[in-house]
Amino acid sequence: MEKVKQAVNSEASDWNQLASLGEQIRNEDSFSAQRDRIVSMTSSLLAGNVVVWLNENSFRLPDWEEGRVFPPQPPLAGMKLAIKEGRLVTQSGKGKKSALRNAQDSASHQAFATIPLIDHGITLGAIQVTRPKRSSFSLEELNLLQGIGQITAV
């Protein structure tokens, strides 16, 4: 019974941390600071290497003179697939090699979960968490990643 209480308290704590993410992102004054905030929050909630891509074209004004922080296209194949499908995509890292071929996320021993950042039909970016070992993501972890994606996209 004590373990169940600890698990429930841990889940509540994770969601409480997540609740403040939108305000934290809004308070940042650059894309790189926003990316760092998203990476930090995601890393504190989920084990793995976190990569964030933001579609700067969705945010830039025509006279914006500052240099780009992100590449024009998502850097990872998992991100491209999640954006194309408009939903969370995962690869368990078990079994045969993935159809996704990318130096950073295609090795068959890697697991990843990617959530597109979409608001009112506009693609704002994507978040991908990659794990180097054959470990899959739990339902709770996938729910947290979807929560991060929803809050970040707003």
Side-chain angles (χ1 to χ4, degrees), residues 101-117:
R101 302 299 293 165
N102 184 291
Q104 294 184 28
D105 68 2
S106 68
S108 63
H109 66 281
Q110 291 185 328
F112 69 80
T114 307
I115 188 77
L117 306 176

Side-chain angles (χ1 to χ4, degrees), residues 41-50 113 129 131 137-138 140-142 144-146 148:
M41 177 63 72
T42 306
S43 296
S44 73
L45 297 173
L46 300 168
N49 180 44
V50 178
V129 180
R131 294 179 175 165
F137 291 84
S138 71
E140 174 63 21
E141 289 174 315
L142 295 175
L144 280 170
L145 184 58
Q146 286 183 309
I148 293 167

Side-chain angles (χ1 to χ4, degrees), residues 19-138:
S20 67
L21 179 60
E23 185 175 338
Q24 292 174 28
I25 293 170
R26 253 190 324 276
N27 290 335
E28 299 296 352
D29 60 0
S30 70
F31 281 130
S32 58
Q34 289 176 339
R35 175 202 54 220
D36 294 346
R37 178 68 63 185
I38 296 165
V39 167
S40 175
M41 177 63 72
T42 306
S43 296
S44 73
L45 297 173
L46 300 168
N49 180 44
V50 178
V51 176
V52 173
W53 173 76
L54 296 177
N55 182 0
E56 290 185 58
N57 293 335
S58 297
F59 302 99
R60 288 181 168 272
L61 297 174
D63 61 345
W64 195 327
E65 295 179 14
E66 206 173 292
R68 286 191 162 278
V69 173
F70 299 95
Q73 296 296 315
L76 303 175
M79 289 179 166
K80 291 174 185 172
L81 181 61
I83 290 168
K84 178 181 176 186
E85 294 190 5
R87 64 175 182 84
L88 173 74
V89 295
T90 62
Q91 174 179 291
S92 68
K94 298 175 183 173
K96 297 180 181 177
K97 288 186 179 179
S98 168
L100 300 173
R101 302 299 293 165
N102 184 291
Q104 294 184 28
D105 68 2
S106 68
S108 63
H109 66 281
Q110 291 185 328
F112 69 80
T114 307
I115 188 77
L117 306 176
I118 300 173
D119 186 42
H120 293 92
I122 298 171
T123 300
L124 304 175
I127 302 171
Q128 180 165 312
V129 180
T130 306
R131 294 179 175 165
K133 297 185 179 178
R134 294 179 180 254
S135 58
S136 59
F137 291 84
S138 71

